[in-house]
Amino acid sequence: MTHSVAVVVGSASQDSLNRRLARALQLAAPESLEFVEAEIADLPFYRPEFDADYPEIGVRLKQVVEEADALLFVTPEYNRSIPAALKNSLEWLSRPKGTSALSGKPAMMAGATPGAVGTAVAQAQLRSVLTHLDVRLLGQPELYVQISKQQFDDEGRATREGTQDFLATAMRAFADHIGAVLA
């Protein structure tokens, strides 16, 4: 069975290290997973005034997520937190109250950084928000990937020894998680 996965990259940058990691994860995934990007970079800041008449950009984002079977969040860590663009997208996806596109969706988190600390703090904060929004997160493996832009080949695969294999193992676990949640 094939499952569709909406990919939410927490960075608004088109040349983001985490966008590269998202690509490497997609390339490492089993063929049973198909991916579509849930673009968040151009969303205006969410305001409750939008609830009565969602702008088209918010409607499109919610549609992509609602139509997907699962979610893949790939995020950097900014100032020991999740990026504003990612938090803003979660507001759009969970509003108006009672119309969340996130509730019950199986999901996985990952993050990349060149630094040794990784994205552990951002992912802990993201886990807290997603749990509140009733997202069914994969607990293990945790993906705090220390890597640089130079460690991806032209196709997008991670080139550091063992990293692409680790990503493939994680994506198989994610595919299993999706199947279990949706069963």
Side-chain angles (χ1 to χ4, degrees):
M1 172 171 273
T2 301
H3 294 289
S4 61
V5 178
V7 180
V8 180
V9 177
S11 173
S13 170
Q14 289 303 309
D15 193 35
S16 163
L17 181 59
N18 283 274
R19 193 167 303 283
R20 291 174 191 238
L21 175 60
R23 176 71 180 140
L25 286 163
Q26 292 171 49
L27 291 170
E31 291 181 12
S32 63
L33 300 182
E34 295 177 349
F35 299 90
V36 60
E37 185 169 359
E39 183 56 54
I40 66 170
D42 295 327
L43 285 169
F45 282 111
Y46 170 79
R47 297 189 310 267
E49 293 84 8
F50 288 129
D51 288 354
D53 186 23
Y54 250 48
E56 182 59 32
I57 192 168
V59 170
R60 279 195 316 269
L61 175 64
K62 283 188 87 161
Q63 251 177 349
V64 166
V65 169
E66 287 169 347
E67 291 173 2
D69 296 316
L71 304 164
L72 172 61
F73 293 93
V74 185
T75 187
E77 182 171 302
Y78 293 166
N79 298 317
R80 297 282 187 251
S81 186
I82 60 175
L86 178 56
K87 180 62 168 88
N88 185 50
S89 73
L90 297 174
E91 302 304 333
W92 280 100
L93 289 166
S94 64
R95 309 293 175 146
K97 186 174 180 163
T99 66
S100 177
L102 301 166
S103 184
K105 296 272 186 185
M108 183 174 95
M109 295 184 298
T113 181
V117 175
T119 60
V121 176
Q123 287 190 47
Q125 291 177 356
L126 180 58
R127 180 176 305 279
S128 177
V129 173
L130 293 177
T131 300
H132 172 74
L133 296 173
D134 193 32
V135 173
R136 306 295 205 272
L137 285 168
L138 174 65
Q140 294 293 325
E142 294 178 327
L143 281 86
Y144 312 118
V145 182
Q146 182 185 12
I147 199 164
S148 69
K149 288 181 182 177
Q150 294 75 30
Q151 292 171 317
F152 292 94
D153 67 20
D154 292 341
E155 294 175 8
R157 287 180 181 78
T159 58
R160 190 170 63 195
E161 186 175 335
T163 300
Q164 198 64 27
D165 290 338
F166 172 68
L167 299 181
T169 299
M171 293 307 285
R172 284 191 300 274
F174 183 38
D176 292 344
H177 174 68
I178 294 167
V181 171
L182 297 180

